[in-house]
Amino acid sequence: MVMSTAKPKLKTSFKKARTIAPLYTGGPVAITPDGLKLATCVEEEIVLTNADTGVELNRFAGDTESITSLCITASAKYLIAFTGSLSLRIYDIQSLEPSKRKIQPLRTISRAHDAPVHVCTTDPTSSLLASGSADGVVKVWDIANGYVTHVFKGHGGVVSALKFNYPQNPSSATQTGPIRLVTASVDNRIRIFNLTHGASTSSGGGKPEAVLDGHVSVPRGLDVSPDGKWLVSGGRDSVMLLWDLEPATGQSKQSKKTKQKGNTVPQLVQTIPVLERVEAVGFLYQDPASHGTTKGLQVYLGGQKGRIAVRNVDDEEEVYTFGERKTPVSEDQEEQQQILNVLYVAQAQTIISIHADQNIVMYSLETRSVSKQLIGYNDEIVDATFIRSRPPPSSTQPSVDLLALATNSSLIRIYSPESLDGRLLEGHSDIVLALDRSSDGYFLASGSKDRSARVWVQTHNPALNQSWSYSCAAICEGHSESVGAIAMSKIKPESNSSRSHLRFMFTGSQDRTIKMWDLSNVSLENVVEGQQVRCKSLTTHKAHEKDINSLDVSPNDKLLASGSQDRTAKLYSIEYVQTSAGSRGELKPLGTLKGHKRGVWTVRFCRTNRVVATGSGDKTVKIWSLDDYSCLKTFEGHTNSVLRVDFFNAGSQLVSAASDGLVKVWAIHEEECKATLDNHEDKIWALATTSDGSTIVSGGADSVITFWEDCTEETEVEKENLRAELVLKDQEFQNFVSLGDYKRAIQLALSLGQPGRLLSLFQNVISTRSEADRHSASGVPLLDRIIESLDGADLVKLLSYVRAWNTQAKTSAVAQTIIFGIVKLRSADNLIQAFKDSVVEKKIVEDTDSEDVKPASSSGETALKEMVEGLIPYTERHMSRMGRLLQESYVVDYILLEMDSWMLGGDDDDEDSSMDVDELR
């Protein structure tokens, strides 16, 4: 085995830099008016996320039931949620700091409705909340005080939409009319309630001011223009209706049923067919100059087609769209990608679409392109690899690393690790199983259960309404089963080449064959022209007796390695020739690597040495020589199947991931594990490293992606600083002892956490006791001064040492003397406060993630109680022992006294002495 001459420094410490955890698993979504904070549902919890960076800010404590409705007030002060337990929970988020602790609700109303609440909204003043339940009841709440102001019944079933009508004068912020509430329900009707006066108030019986008939299916979206004149509604009947809420006198056709004194009934002005089921509609910003008219008024809608369409109201023309799909998709994919809700953030000029496949897409109204895409849920992560971004030709931006993920989906995820901005690559019709990248990192290859492989490249096409995206450049079809392994050539293209200069690619399938594909015709020009190259298979080789799990190409493109469930890995020589007539390729078997007792899940060539690594279901990693195909080293440590391995740090180290949820970093020369990284709760299928080896990314079946950054140098610097600090403090301690300054020496020993030295110091202090000092509290004045000078934390630490000393007879005297001094000099309240402060400090340091955090007072009292309970039994035992010693000392004193009497009195007093003894007995 040939090793590199320069031995790189081993990387032994990695820190969890960040994680990509599930952000949205379905349910309602809300955003603050400034567009900076996004509230989403993850299982039964609410998560508040920074919309710019994708970083989780806070989690809110739930009641173990799913969230059915969610909204944020216009002032961004309150987050309001309704749960499946029918409870209303109000959280204060105005002054909330990022924290790992779960935020408790400011107010909880246990049974807000008698049926689940599916819609809720707040008014522009953030003082009123409207909620609609499945039993057709709408309630209006006073948010600050938590009581119901209005109850509206009579809806013919589930309430499907709510909207406050709070008309304002465009020239000022003053209200120009009464506050109304517009509701929609499954009886296809829209009702308008006046909250200020009239029949809708509690005294009037809660009747609607108007009932609007126009839809033939459930209205799902409602919105009122800022001037309060126009109402737009959209439903699943594929039409959008525009209503005039303030028609001119004589235009309104009032019926006897709905006619109210002094009021006009809204009039249907326009019926706009949209040819898709509508889930959300709304008005975009209205120009104050067009107040009261439809001139310049625009509406947005989203629904079945998975896109947001913006239309003019006056001419019904579709002005522009967001998220328009360029290629047709299947019915299942269309159902997954349909829009469930649309959020319009006027302050940020952003419009947000929430899709059924748990993806959240943000569009800029200024650039009319995707500004950010948050991928809510990745499901089981199958594979991962780093690729390089391609800045536009006219841009000076540097190329950065992007992360490509294959999940339990036909869509490939592309992440920007810095901002978590993501993109979804559509093309495969079934689950993607394997990923690989080209030698320069610009091309991405994928293999899928749809029996095909595709090659992708980044594009910058303004027509796609995206700041960046990926397009399919080539398709490889020919396998009869799923493509579960893929590997691209490793030789980098020439820097002066105008074309991509891709060479070839290998795919391994469940049909147990390996195919070699010609990629010489794949270039960036094809993608720009919108063409997809149909790649030609150069050779097909029957490789294994069972499924092929992994493929890898050597750095010089001369060798191919394959790993299979048949417990073997095989090596092949690659022959690839490019001529004017075309490309020619062939595979020739070289050898078989036998030794694993279970299937081989992964193979990987070293980039610097002539070795190949394999990981198997037998829980081991093996390194094999490419010269004689013998096993050179075996690494054992995982408790389950090893699923991924990779070399890094110039081939001196190996990283492995397994079904036990652990990532292990190995030193090859020492044959030992240098670090174990634990942040997963299930199998780790995906493993990727950056080119410099500074970052390791792991992704598993728990839907969590973890970024591990090398912190070896930082850890060594910290250890060196700590060692230097300990040396200085140790010298300082020796100086205090030599000077007889026991007070400072004890304080320093406490800060260093050295109980052995503390015991020796206290023994020296107590040995200074004299008869003249018996009037002091502990009998040792120096000990009194030391106990009085200790702060709360040092006192608690000292008591913990004393408890240990008290368990042994030879050190119990020191422990009892210290306890006696503490009881005499420190009050009970002082001790309780010291333990409280110690508990609070410990919790701050640990930054506990526990939801049920006990108050510091009860925790401090509990800690003091445990301390006392640990001291009492041994103290009683020492008391009994001292009592026995005292009794035995009396016997010794008596014997000595009798011996003295015998020696002084002689034999004449024997009889009297014996009589005295009898009397004593």
Side-chain angles (χ1 to χ4, degrees):
M1 181 174 67
V2 180
M3 293 291 181
S4 58
T5 56
K7 186 177 179 181
K9 187 176 180 179
L10 294 180
K11 302 179 187 292
T12 59
S13 297
F14 288 84
K15 63 181 179 181
K16 183 175 66 176
R18 71 183 307 177
T19 60
I20 303 177
L23 172 69
Y24 172 60
T25 58
V29 177
I31 192 167
T32 54
D34 56 7
L36 297 179
K37 296 179 180 179
L38 185 70
T40 57
C41 299
V42 178
E43 303 298 340
E44 292 85 23
E45 294 180 347
I46 303 172
V47 176
L48 193 65
T49 305
N50 186 314
D52 288 335
T53 63
V55 175
E56 179 181 316
L57 302 176
N58 301 97
R59 279 184 181 253
F60 299 88
D63 57 2
T64 69
E65 294 289 339
S66 60
I67 310 298
T68 58
S69 187
L70 187 69
C71 66
I72 296 177
T73 58
S75 62
K77 179 175 176 60
Y78 297 113
L79 170 66
I80 302 169
F82 290 87
T83 69
S85 63
L86 311 182
S87 67
L88 164 62
R89 303 170 75 87
I90 302 177
Y91 304 88
D92 188 350
I93 62 173
Q94 191 170 34
S95 57
L96 204 58
E97 295 294 331
S99 172
K100 293 184 179 179
R101 295 187 179 93
K102 292 182 181 178
I103 308 302
Q104 299 296 327
L106 183 69
R107 174 181 285 112
T108 301
I109 300 175
S110 59
R111 195 173 179 85
H113 281 264
D114 293 329
V117 175
H118 295 294
V119 289
C120 68
T121 187
T122 60
D123 75 325
T125 64
S126 301
S127 59
L128 297 178
L129 165 71
S131 58
S133 65
D135 58 0
V137 176
V138 174
K139 292 184 179 181
V140 180
W141 306 77
D142 184 292
I143 299 175
N145 300 305
Y147 60 82
V148 177
T149 61
H150 299 76
V151 178
F152 303 127
K153 300 180 180 180
H155 297 84
V158 179
V159 179
S160 58
L162 294 171
K163 184 66 180 179
F164 278 99
N165 180 10
Y166 194 90
Q168 291 181 332
N169 191 331
S171 60
S172 65
T174 59
Q175 182 182 351
T176 61
I179 302 176
R180 291 181 171 88
L181 178 65
V182 186
T183 69
S185 60
V186 295
D187 61 0
N188 307 335
R189 294 181 175 181
I190 299 172
R191 293 170 173 83
I192 301 176
F193 298 90
N194 192 322
L195 305 184
T196 308
H197 55 75
S200 299
T201 58
S202 299
S203 59
K207 296 180 181 180
E209 190 177 67
V211 178
L212 310 182
D213 284 321
H215 286 282
V216 295
S217 187
V218 184
R220 291 287 296 132
L222 293 174
D223 197 16
V224 179
S225 60
D227 58 11
K229 180 175 176 58
W230 308 104
L231 167 68
V232 63
S233 62
R236 293 175 177 171
D237 51 4
S238 302
V239 297
M240 185 171 60
L241 305 181
L242 183 68
W243 306 84
D244 187 352
L245 299 181
E246 300 175 358
T249 306
Q251 292 181 358
S252 176
K253 299 179 181 180
Q254 301 183 32
S255 65
K256 295 180 181 180
K257 236 180 190 182
T258 60
K259 188 173 182 179
Q260 301 288 340
K261 185 176 181 181
N263 294 330
T264 56
V265 176
Q267 182 180 3
L268 179 61
V269 177
Q270 284 178 279
T271 300
I272 306 173
V274 295
L275 305 179
E276 66 173 309
R277 294 191 301 272
V278 178
E279 296 293 329
V281 296
F283 287 102
L284 292 179
Y285 172 76
Q286 183 182 15
D287 187 356
S290 62
H291 177 70
T293 68
T294 59
K295 184 178 180 181
L297 198 62
Q298 292 183 332
V299 294
Y300 64 84
L301 62 95
Q304 177 186 1
K305 295 183 179 180
R307 61 165 195 166
I308 300 176
V310 178
R311 291 173 174 261
N312 288 328
V313 173
D314 49 359
D315 59 6
E316 303 181 8
E317 288 293 326
E318 192 171 275
V319 184
Y320 52 90
T321 61
F322 297 108
E324 186 75 41
R325 289 193 291 266
K326 302 299 180 182
T327 57
V329 296
S330 64
E331 292 184 3
D332 291 341
Q333 289 179 324
E334 183 179 80
E335 184 177 353
Q336 291 178 0
Q337 297 172 21
Q338 68 177 345
I339 292 177
L340 303 180
N341 196 11
V342 176
L343 304 176
Y344 172 49
V345 186
Q347 292 184 24
Q349 282 296 288
T350 300
I351 193 165
I352 304 170
S353 61
I354 294 93
H355 297 259
D357 56 1
Q358 293 96 34
N359 292 303
I360 301 172
V361 187
M362 303 180 182
Y363 301 94
S364 171
L365 291 174
E366 296 176 349
T367 62
R368 297 184 181 180
S369 63
V370 176
S371 59
K372 191 178 186 65
Q373 181 168 346
L374 297 175
I375 299 173
Y377 184 60
N378 284 314
D379 204 351
E380 185 172 354
I381 299 166
V382 179
D383 202 359
T385 186
F386 280 102
I387 55 178
R388 299 289 293 174
S389 66
R390 286 182 57 253
S394 59
S395 174
T396 59
Q397 296 177 356
S399 179
V400 297
D401 281 336
L402 301 175
L403 181 64
L405 297 177
T407 66
N408 196 21
S409 167
S410 62
L411 304 176
I412 302 173
R413 271 83 165 158
I414 307 291
Y415 275 102
S416 169
E418 298 300 326
S419 63
L420 295 189
D421 187 15
R423 294 293 184 270
L424 299 177
L425 309 190
E426 301 178 8
H428 286 289
S429 59
D430 210 335
I431 296 174
V432 178
L433 299 176
L435 297 175
D436 196 20
R437 68 172 192 170
S438 61
S439 54
D440 56 8
Y442 293 141
F443 288 87
L444 173 69
S446 61
S448 168
K449 277 188 175 182
D450 62 6
R451 300 174 294 185
S452 71
R454 289 174 179 258
V455 179
W456 310 81
V457 67
Q458 186 177 353
T459 57
H460 302 275
N461 189 354
L464 296 177
N465 290 334
Q466 295 186 3
S467 56
W468 61 275
S469 63
Y470 272 74
S471 298
C472 181
I475 301 176
C476 305
E477 294 178 326
H479 282 289
S480 60
E481 296 290 343
S482 302
V483 178
I486 197 164
M488 300 187 75
S489 61
K490 295 296 188 290
I491 293 182
K492 292 186 177 182
E494 300 175 2
S495 58
N496 58 357
S497 175
S498 60
R499 295 176 62 83
S500 65
H501 199 66
L502 290 180
R503 304 184 73 203
F504 54 81
M505 178 177 73
F506 291 97
T507 56
S509 169
Q510 286 186 354
D511 61 13
R512 305 168 189 177
T513 63
I514 297 175
K515 283 184 176 290
M516 184 178 185
W517 304 90
D518 180 21
L519 301 183
S520 58
N521 293 326
V522 180
S523 65
L524 300 178
E525 290 77 6
N526 300 128
V527 180
V528 173
E529 295 171 2
Q531 300 176 357
Q532 293 180 350
V533 177
R534 296 282 174 174
C535 297
K536 180 181 69 173
S537 174
L538 298 178
T539 183
T540 301
H541 186 81
K542 177 69 166 61
H544 290 273
E545 298 300 323
K546 292 185 178 181
D547 297 351
I548 298 172
N549 294 328
S550 180
L551 294 174
D552 194 31
V553 176
S554 63
N556 60 1
D557 278 359
K558 297 296 184 182
L559 299 174
L560 173 70
S562 64
S564 169
Q565 283 297 105
D566 62 7
R567 298 181 291 181
T568 65
K570 293 187 178 182
L571 296 173
Y572 309 86
S573 66
I574 302 173
E575 294 183 3
Y576 178 75
V577 179
Q578 284 183 310
T579 63
S580 57
S583 300
R584 180 169 51 85
E586 191 176 349
L587 279 179
K588 291 185 178 181
L590 292 179
T592 301
L593 309 180
K594 296 181 179 180
H596 283 294
K597 299 177 181 178
R598 294 288 185 272
V600 177
W601 283 105
T602 177
V603 292
R604 188 70 64 183
F605 281 102
C606 180
R607 290 177 283 276
T608 56
N609 305 312
R610 286 184 53 81
V611 294
V612 62
T614 59
S616 168
D618 61 8
K619 312 173 191 177
T620 64
V621 177
K622 291 181 181 291
I623 294 182
W624 310 79
S625 170
L626 295 181
D627 297 325
D628 55 6
Y629 315 127
S630 63
C631 179
L632 301 175
K633 298 179 185 293
T634 299
F635 299 91
E636 297 181 351
H638 284 289
T639 59
N640 214 323
S641 302
V642 179
L643 302 176
R644 292 289 185 271
V645 296
D646 199 1
F647 289 94
F648 74 106
N649 197 14
S652 64
Q653 288 184 269
L654 190 73
V655 59
S656 61
S659 295
D660 55 11
L662 300 177
V663 176
K664 288 184 177 290
V665 178
W666 309 85
I668 296 178
H669 291 278
E670 288 82 355
E671 297 187 42
E672 63 177 347
C673 178
K674 290 296 183 180
T676 299
L677 314 178
D678 184 8
N679 190 49
H680 294 275
E681 298 177 355
D682 210 335
K683 299 176 182 178
I684 301 178
W685 287 106
L687 186 69
T689 59
T690 54
S691 56
D692 58 0
S694 61
T695 303
I696 299 173
V697 173
S698 58
D702 56 359
S703 306
V704 174
I705 305 158
T706 307
F707 290 79
W708 307 94
E709 288 187 357
D710 174 33
C711 60
T712 304
E713 293 186 3
E714 298 175 16
T715 304
E716 291 179 352
V717 170
E718 289 177 1
K719 288 181 179 179
E720 182 62 27
N721 292 338
L722 181 60
R723 189 192 65 81
E725 184 180 356
L726 289 176
V727 170
L728 292 175
K729 287 187 176 181
D730 186 76
Q731 183 61 48
E732 190 177 0
F733 175 82
Q734 299 293 344
N735 294 338
F736 288 146
V737 173
S738 62
L739 294 174
D741 191 349
Y742 291 113
K743 179 180 175 180
R744 292 187 179 180
I746 287 174
Q747 291 175 345
L748 187 57
L750 279 170
S751 66
L752 293 175
Q754 297 176 341
R757 283 182 168 179
L758 271 176
L759 178 61
S760 177
L761 288 171
F762 277 113
Q763 288 173 340
N764 293 337
V765 169
I766 294 173
S767 66
T768 63
R769 179 189 303 174
S770 65
E771 187 65 23
D773 299 331
R774 67 178 183 270
H775 298 295
S776 65
S778 64
V780 185
L782 179 56
L783 180 60
D784 294 350
R785 292 194 296 272
I786 292 172
I787 292 175
E788 289 175 343
S789 65
L790 294 177
D791 59 17
D794 285 343
L795 183 62
V796 172
K797 189 181 294 185
L798 175 59
L799 279 172
S800 66
Y801 296 146
V802 167
R803 179 173 57 181
W805 299 337
N806 195 44
T807 60
Q808 299 181 9
K810 63 180 180 180
T811 57
S812 61
V814 176
Q816 289 297 319
T817 305
I818 296 173
I819 294 172
F820 183 73
I822 291 174
V823 172
K824 285 288 186 180
L825 296 170
R826 307 296 284 257
S827 64
D829 293 338
N830 183 267
L831 287 173
I832 292 173
Q833 187 60 43
F835 275 88
K836 288 180 183 177
D837 296 341
S838 177
V839 169
V840 171
E841 182 180 357
K842 184 178 179 182
K843 285 184 177 179
I844 291 174
V845 172
E846 293 178 352
D847 194 19
T848 178
D849 297 338
S850 176
E851 178 181 354
D852 302 323
V853 179
K854 295 181 179 179
S857 59
S858 62
S859 300
E861 293 170 359
T862 301
L864 179 57
K865 180 182 177 183
E866 292 175 353
M867 177 67 69
V868 173
E869 289 176 348
L871 291 172
I872 289 176
Y874 288 98
T875 302
E876 291 176 345
R877 184 180 302 177
H878 297 319
M879 187 68 179
S880 300
R881 180 171 56 84
M882 295 305 294
R884 290 193 302 271
L885 288 174
L886 182 60
Q887 291 178 3
E888 293 172 359
S889 70
Y890 292 153
V891 176
V892 174
D893 289 343
Y894 169 73
I895 293 173
L896 292 175
L897 178 62
E898 290 300 316
M899 291 176 65
D900 291 342
S901 300
W902 176 75
M903 293 176 66
L904 295 175
D907 297 336
D908 296 338
D909 298 331
D910 287 347
E911 184 177 350
D912 295 336
S913 298
S914 61
M915 290 176 64
D916 292 340
V917 171
D918 291 337
E919 288 177 3
L920 287 172
R921 290 178 180 174

